[in-house]
């Protein structure tokens, strides 16, 4: 198996990936809260952990990938007070909360299919695991790390901190958190400002509620992932992932809950993708600065200069390392679109290359090293920008071959084609949208155009510029746009 190294957020360093029960890998990723259309901020963690899921399977692991749906308990501002976001929307639209949750779950799934994000092995819903969450709360209470207050159950952070340590994931100090937190009005039901809800007693107007030993109410937001991760992956599993905005408080609270319930940590590796920003601010619903994925796909938003296809969005996200920030701009998306088209064109052009009896020295050397260079990049904490850079170098080789400025053997041509397809399609998860969207007529046109462009390339190699221009002009008259770029020749059929 490949020697994969990943960044463990808990230890703040890169670590060699060694599963608890090789070759089986348990992986849990926090999924969406389904009360609105999926936006670009949803796409990044989904694509990041899709890459990890694909790559772990590719290098030989059997992966159980759990990605949850939050459909209850996620309160406004992610606090312990306020309205449940799904219930609030249900009241506004006069619908059942589960209608809201199902509608936006369907929308999320549609967007993920468009982005070619593989479905997880298991997709549990918080509302389907109320019993498991209640059992988790009971264990924490029995171990002395939670208390009841007016029908609600709160985690006693100060007591936990004395026996263990609260803040190990985020690097926060409990005393600093207490001193820096703003005073609540009498602290309410809590003993301490930093305590968080495990179970909330429902107010009379609260729609979503379940019976429990303490009150009719609903679980706190942090409980669901701990309870469902333990149910489907066991008390110890390999990877827990999500956006870095979840490090505190959500994942910090998860760690505390697991240790309070079972005496030791549940997760071996914590992985977090960075944010997508717009004008330097996190893109998200809470700041009302988000652009939905549907708006990207249609171009129907005031800040968008054009529509961007799902594969352009995927390529845009993969062009940056998952732990780095990505700032939205039309210029960046247009660059991603050109990069994506360049890669797809090169892979298509491989079909037009005729093998020689032997490769020239530079081509042979490049092809021999390409596959391992791409593996080395993936093994270095999923360095997808480096993979793309290696594939762009391959595009340059393809252009030399198309222009008859290099030659390649049949064996090396097969290796180059397989390597580019493996990393572009199987591992990076890209789809050739032009090929996917062509009907039979355009596919037939494509074969003819590729043959004609090959003749044009030979004319250019022989410096027969008149014939080269004549072929280009004839294709244009027939409705084909042919462009000569520094990266090679591209074409498309005018509609």
């Amino acid at each position: 198996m490949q020697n994969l190294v990943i960044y463990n957020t808990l230890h703040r360093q890169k670590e060699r990936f060694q599963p608890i029960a090789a070759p089986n890998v348990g992986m849990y990723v926090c999924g969406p809260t389904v009360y609105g259309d999926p936006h670009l901020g949803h796409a990044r963690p989904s694509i990041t952990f899709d890459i990890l899921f694909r790559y772990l399977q590719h290098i030989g692991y059997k992966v159980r990938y759990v990605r949850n749906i939050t459909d209850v308990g996620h309160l406004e501002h992610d606090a312990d007070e306020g309205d449940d976001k799904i219930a609030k929307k249900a009241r506004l639209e006069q619908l059942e909360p589960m209608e809201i949750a199902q509608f936006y779950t369907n929308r999320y799934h549609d967007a993920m299919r468009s982005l070619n994000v593989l479905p997880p092995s298991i997709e549990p819903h918080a509302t389907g695991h109320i019993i498991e969450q209640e059992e988790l709360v009971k264990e924490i209470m029995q171990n002395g790390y939670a208390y009841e207050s007016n029908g609600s159950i709160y985690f006693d952070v100060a007591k936990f901190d004395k026996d263990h340590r609260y803040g190990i994931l985020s690097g926060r100090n409990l005393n600093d958190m207490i001193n820096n937190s703003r005073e609540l009005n009498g602290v309410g039901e809590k003993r301490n400002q930093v305590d968080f809800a495990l179970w909330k007693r429902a107010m009379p107007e609260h729609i979503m509620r379940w019976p429990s030993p303490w009150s009719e109410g609903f679980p706190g937001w942090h409980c669901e992932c701990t309870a469902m991760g333990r149910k489907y992956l066991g008390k110890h599993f390999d990877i827990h992932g999500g956006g870095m905005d979840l490090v505190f408080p959500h994942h910090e609270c998860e760690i505390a809950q697991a240790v309070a319930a079972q005496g030791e940590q549940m997760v071996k590796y914590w992985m977090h993708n960075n944010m997508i920003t717009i004008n330097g601010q996190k893109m998200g619903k809470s700041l009302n600065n988000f652009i939905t994925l549907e708006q990207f796909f249609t171009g129907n938003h005031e800040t968008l200069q054009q529509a961007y296809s799902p594969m352009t969005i995927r390529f845009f996200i993969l062009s940056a390392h998952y732990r780095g920030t990505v700032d939205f701009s039309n210029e960046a998306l247009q660059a991603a679109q050109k990069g994506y088209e360049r890669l797809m064109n090169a892979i298509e052009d491989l079909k037009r290359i005729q093998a020689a009896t032997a490769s020239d020295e530079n081509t042979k050397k490049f092809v021999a090293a390409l596959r391992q260079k791409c593996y080395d990049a993936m093994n270095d904490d999923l360095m997808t920008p480096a993979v793309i850079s290696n594939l762009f170098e391959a595009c340059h080789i393809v252009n030399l071959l198309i222009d008859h400025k290099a030659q390649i053997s049949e064996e090396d041509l097969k290796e180059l084609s397989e390597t580019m397809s493996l990393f572009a399609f199987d591992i990076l998860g890209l789809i050739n949208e032009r090929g996917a969207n062509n009907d039979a007529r355009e596919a037939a046109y494509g074969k003819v155009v590729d043959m004609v462009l090959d003749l044009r390339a030979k004319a250019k190699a022989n410096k027969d510029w008149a014939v080269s221009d004549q072929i280009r002009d004839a294709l244009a008259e027939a409705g084909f746009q042919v462009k000569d770029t520094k990266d090679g020749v591209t074409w498309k059929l005018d509609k």
Side-chain angles (χ1 to χ4, degrees):
M1 288 187 178
Q2 297 291 325
N3 187 16
L4 174 62
V5 173
I6 60 176
Y7 187 87
N8 190 341
T9 308
L10 181 61
H11 298 151
R12 296 167 181 80
Q13 64 183 18
K14 291 182 180 179
E15 297 177 3
R16 181 180 176 185
F17 180 66
Q18 296 178 300
I20 293 171
N24 299 309
V25 174
M27 174 172 144
Y28 190 102
V29 174
C30 291
T33 304
V34 284
Y35 70 98
D37 277 331
H39 55 77
L40 194 60
H42 289 125
R44 192 168 197 197
S46 300
I47 291 173
T48 293
F49 292 101
D50 180 62
I51 294 294
L52 180 60
F53 184 34
R54 288 171 180 271
Y55 191 61
L56 287 172
Q57 291 182 104
H58 171 71
I59 61 178
Y61 292 109
K62 181 179 179 181
V63 184
R64 176 175 287 176
Y65 175 17
V66 180
R67 185 186 67 203
N68 71 295
I69 296 289
T70 299
D71 52 3
V72 70
H74 201 319
L75 302 180
E76 293 291 346
H77 311 301
D78 302 337
D80 292 330
E81 304 296 335
D83 292 331
D84 182 289
K85 295 176 180 179
I86 294 173
K88 180 179 179 180
K89 199 170 186 73
R91 283 196 299 271
L92 290 173
E93 299 187 17
Q94 296 185 336
L95 295 170
E96 283 289 330
M98 286 300 98
E99 284 184 273
I100 297 293
Q102 188 64 57
F103 177 81
Y104 287 111
T105 298
N106 293 344
R107 301 277 284 182
Y108 174 76
H109 288 157
D110 289 344
M112 294 305 104
R113 279 190 291 270
S114 297
L115 293 169
N116 199 30
V117 170
L118 298 175
S121 312
I122 304 173
E123 191 175 58
H125 292 229
T127 53
H129 297 79
I130 301 298
I131 293 174
E132 289 82 359
Q133 293 177 77
E134 289 185 5
E135 289 301 312
L136 173 68
V137 176
K138 290 177 184 177
E139 290 179 37
I140 295 172
M141 292 190 75
Q142 288 168 2
N143 291 336
Y145 293 110
Y147 57 90
E148 182 177 356
S149 178
N150 196 28
S152 294
I153 307 298
Y154 292 97
F155 191 93
D156 193 333
V157 174
K159 185 172 183 180
F160 176 84
D161 190 65
K162 288 180 182 178
D163 298 336
H164 304 281
R165 187 196 157 198
Y166 182 78
I168 60 173
L169 186 65
S170 61
R172 302 190 184 201
N173 179 277
L174 180 59
N175 290 329
D176 293 340
M177 284 188 277
I178 293 174
N179 293 333
N180 293 331
S181 63
R182 62 184 177 83
E183 290 293 331
L184 302 178
N185 294 329
V187 189
E189 300 174 338
K190 303 179 183 181
R191 293 177 182 172
N192 198 302
Q193 297 98 317
V194 295
D195 294 349
F196 57 89
L198 299 173
W199 183 267
K200 285 290 291 181
R201 181 175 65 87
M203 295 295 101
E205 67 275 10
H206 201 95
I207 304 174
M208 303 175 79
R209 56 177 68 214
W210 290 265
S212 80
W214 317 288
S215 65
E216 192 170 83
F218 54 94
W221 170 37
H222 309 302
C223 286
E224 63 183 86
C225 293
T226 305
M228 294 188 292
R230 192 166 63 169
K231 178 179 176 66
Y232 295 109
L233 299 174
K235 290 187 175 181
H236 301 93
F237 60 89
D238 299 289
I239 298 171
H240 195 320
M244 69 175 298
D245 56 322
L246 298 178
V247 170
F248 186 87
H250 186 45
H251 289 166
E252 196 74 78
C253 294
E254 279 195 61
I255 290 176
Q257 288 171 163
V259 173
Q262 63 189 43
E264 55 190 353
Q265 290 198 40
M266 186 165 63
V267 179
K268 189 173 183 182
Y269 301 96
W270 288 87
M271 295 182 68
H272 295 89
N273 63 273
N274 214 320
M275 299 179 293
I276 290 182
T277 59
I278 179 168
N279 298 323
Q281 285 188 310
K282 173 193 169 184
M283 180 180 287
K285 289 186 174 73
S286 60
L287 296 174
N288 198 32
N289 65 348
F290 64 94
I291 304 173
T292 69
L293 290 171
E294 183 179 9
Q295 288 170 328
F296 275 106
F297 300 159
T298 62
N300 186 24
H301 191 278
E302 59 184 8
T303 63
L304 298 176
Q305 295 177 1
Q306 64 181 74
Y308 298 99
S309 73
M311 287 303 101
T312 295
I313 299 297
R314 188 176 179 104
F315 194 90
F316 168 68
I317 289 172
L318 295 178
S319 295
H321 188 249
Y322 77 90
R323 287 193 287 112
T325 56
V326 176
D327 196 53
F328 157 79
S329 70
N330 281 281
E331 292 76 16
L333 281 168
Q334 288 161 9
Q337 180 178 331
K338 290 178 181 177
Y340 163 73
E341 290 176 351
R342 176 187 178 188
L343 180 56
M344 293 301 106
N345 287 335
I347 292 174
E348 284 296 310
D349 285 343
L350 282 166
K351 301 172 185 176
R352 302 198 283 122
I353 295 172
Q354 293 185 348
T357 54
S359 300
D360 62 76
E361 183 178 350
N362 289 337
T363 301
K364 188 171 188 64
K365 182 179 178 181
F366 175 83
V367 172
L370 178 61
R371 186 183 291 257
Q372 191 56 51
K373 286 173 68 177
C374 290
Y375 274 127
D376 290 344
M378 288 299 298
N379 290 335
D380 184 12
D381 197 24
L382 308 179
M383 195 64 69
T384 56
V387 175
I388 291 172
S389 178
N390 291 328
L391 293 177
F392 279 170
E393 288 186 47
C395 293
H396 176 67
I397 295 295
V398 171
N399 292 331
L400 292 177
L401 294 168
I402 288 291
D403 291 338
H404 303 285
K405 295 178 180 178
Q407 59 184 25
I408 190 169
S409 68
E410 184 173 348
E411 180 182 1
D412 287 342
L413 178 59
K414 180 182 178 184
E415 170 65 12
L416 180 60
S417 300
E418 289 180 352
T419 300
M420 292 186 73
S421 293
L422 168 65
F423 283 92
F425 300 135
D426 296 346
I427 294 176
L428 296 185
L430 298 169
I431 295 173
N432 190 339
E433 289 175 323
R434 187 177 73 178
N437 294 330
N438 279 346
D439 56 22
R441 179 173 63 105
E442 290 185 23
Y445 285 163
K447 293 180 181 179
V448 175
V449 173
D450 287 343
M451 180 181 66
V452 173
L453 288 177
D454 188 52
L455 294 174
R456 181 170 178 262
K458 291 178 180 178
K460 290 176 67 179
N462 295 328
K463 297 185 178 181
D464 192 345
W465 311 119
V467 171
S468 172
D469 292 344
Q470 183 181 6
I471 292 174
R472 182 194 62 201
D473 295 342
L475 286 171
E477 289 179 9
F480 295 90
Q481 287 186 17
V482 178
K483 291 185 179 181
D484 292 300
T485 71
K486 64 179 181 179
D487 298 319
V489 181
T490 65
W491 69 269
K492 66 179 181 178
L493 178 62
D494 284 342
K495 298 297 182 182

